[in-house]
Amino acid sequence: MGRFLTVIMMLTAAPAAALDCRLALVLAIDVSSSVDPREDTLQRQGLAAALLAPEVQQAFFVTPQPVALSAFEWSGRTNQKILLDWTLIDSPSKLLGAAESIAYSQRSTDEFPTALGHAVSYGWKMLDRGPRCLFSTIDVAGDGENNEGFGPQHAYRAFGFGDIVVNGLAILSKRDHEDDKVVAHYQSDVLRGPGAFLEIAEGFEDYESAMRRKLERELRPLMMGEVTE
């Protein structure tokens, strides 16, 4: 409970101007060659809908300190594209605008493999140039194991990740053996930092629901005391 009490004191006792934001959150979606056009649409529309779900909106605005949000798509080693640059979500209209930017974004490529290590490195670069917040989280979703370039653990050693948390969303394909490998890969190689967790989407059709659960959980510890030591 010690960390939770510290968080509450920082959020409630500090003047609003003393904190730019309570959380810098980077969302990363997979556009590797294993993701077909229909699945890509389910991701973009699902993420936008999840951001606007009532329980997620409640989590965004539960304290006076806002959340800073950004999003990018990723696939190969050098294939990352910003979908939403850093936006301070300090009103429902800002959240609606962020969701619309993601919903109406266009896929940049569909030809490259799955470079998860380069994806989390890009997330680190986004955070490095982003606003200074109380907490920093990278939220990376994908349907496969790293198969190009260095892996996430190499990225964590090479870059100064410090107290950055990396959560995962594994999208299953209904191929049991392959799905087991993807889940194990995320659990052993992708998750990083205190309280890091993995959410599961049972196919791309379940992406919106899984992302909604994930976003609510990422925001909820700061307001309900689910952060533990």
Side-chain angles (χ1 to χ4, degrees):
M1 292 294 292
R3 188 182 176 203
F4 166 59
L5 293 175
T6 299
V7 170
I8 292 301
M9 291 175 65
M10 294 177 75
L11 287 175
T12 59
L19 291 173
D20 290 330
C21 47
R22 74 176 193 270
L23 174 66
L25 179 59
V26 184
L27 306 172
I29 68 172
D30 182 0
V31 295
S32 60
S33 57
S34 61
V35 178
D36 67 29
R38 182 186 69 88
E39 293 167 342
D40 179 68
T41 298
L42 287 170
Q43 284 189 103
R44 292 173 202 273
Q45 298 298 321
L47 176 52
L51 286 168
L52 297 177
E55 57 269 40
V56 175
Q57 292 200 54
Q58 182 183 29
F60 267 106
F61 303 118
V62 74
T63 71
Q65 290 76 21
V67 171
L69 187 67
S70 66
F72 69 95
E73 62 179 45
W74 63 274
S75 54
R77 287 177 294 179
T78 60
N79 307 108
Q80 301 92 23
K81 175 190 173 185
I82 293 175
L83 306 179
L84 175 71
D85 213 344
W86 284 112
T87 302
L88 199 63
I89 307 299
D90 55 7
S91 68
S93 63
K94 284 285 190 67
L95 184 56
L96 175 61
E100 289 179 340
S101 293
I102 293 169
Y104 295 130
S105 62
Q106 298 296 313
R107 184 175 185 167
S108 62
T109 180
D110 60 4
E111 301 176 348
F112 295 93
T114 304
L116 265 167
H118 294 266
V120 295
S121 298
Y122 193 83
W124 176 88
K125 293 174 184 177
M126 293 282 290
L127 287 168
D128 189 53
R129 70 169 182 81
R132 304 277 75 84
C133 299
L134 186 58
F135 296 101
S136 299
T137 297
I138 299 171
D139 177 334
V140 59
D143 72 341
E145 300 174 79
N146 186 79
N147 58 19
E148 183 180 62
F150 55 76
Q153 291 298 319
H154 176 90
Y156 300 153
R157 292 190 297 269
F159 290 83
F161 268 71
D163 60 358
I164 295 172
V165 172
V166 181
N167 295 324
L169 195 162
I171 307 165
L172 307 188
S173 62
K174 309 300 184 182
R175 298 190 300 272
D176 292 342
H177 179 63
E178 292 301 318
D179 288 345
D180 289 345
K181 290 169 62 178
V182 171
V183 170
H185 181 61
Y186 269 77
Q187 289 174 330
S188 63
D189 292 344
V190 178
L191 301 187
R192 181 195 183 278
F197 68 93
L198 179 67
E199 190 63 66
I200 303 294
E202 300 287 345
F204 284 87
E205 294 79 5
D206 187 43
Y207 185 93
E208 178 184 335
S209 295
M211 181 58 73
R212 185 174 67 246
R213 295 191 301 269
K214 191 169 191 294
L215 288 168
E216 187 183 6
R217 184 172 174 183
E218 282 167 334
L219 296 162
R220 199 184 339 145
L222 300 184
M223 63 179 178
M224 293 182 65
E226 294 185 0
V227 175
T228 58
E229 291 185 304

Coordinates of all heavy atoms in Angstrom, one line a residue, residues 25 82 85 91 212:
L25 N 0.8 8.2 -21.9 CA 0.4 6.8 -22.4 C 0.6 6.8 -23.9 O 0.0 7.6 -24.7 CB -1.1 6.6 -22.1 CG -1.7 5.3 -22.5 CD1 -0.9 4.1 -22.0 CD2 -3.2 5.2 -22.1
I82 N 3.2 7.9 -36.8 CA 2.4 8.5 -35.7 C 1.0 8.6 -36.2 O 0.8 9.2 -37.3 CB 3.0 9.8 -35.3 CG1 4.4 9.6 -34.6 CG2 2.1 10.6 -34.4 CD1 5.1 10.9 -34.3
D85 N -0.2 12.5 -32.4 CA 0.9 13.0 -31.6 C 0.4 13.5 -30.2 O -0.8 13.5 -30.0 CB 1.5 14.2 -32.4 CG 3.0 14.3 -32.1 OD1 3.5 13.7 -31.2 OD2 3.7 15.0 -32.9
S91 N -10.2 17.3 -21.5 CA -11.6 17.6 -21.7 C -12.2 16.5 -22.6 O -11.5 15.8 -23.3 CB -11.9 18.9 -22.3 OG -11.4 18.9 -23.7
R212 N -10.7 -1.9 -24.3 CA -11.4 -1.2 -23.3 C -11.0 -1.7 -21.9 O -10.8 -0.8 -21.0 CB -12.9 -1.4 -23.5 CG -13.8 -0.6 -22.6 CD -15.3 -0.7 -22.9 NE -15.8 -2.0 -22.7 CZ -16.2 -2.9 -23.6 NH1 -16.2 -2.5 -24.9 NH2 -16.6 -4.1 -23.4

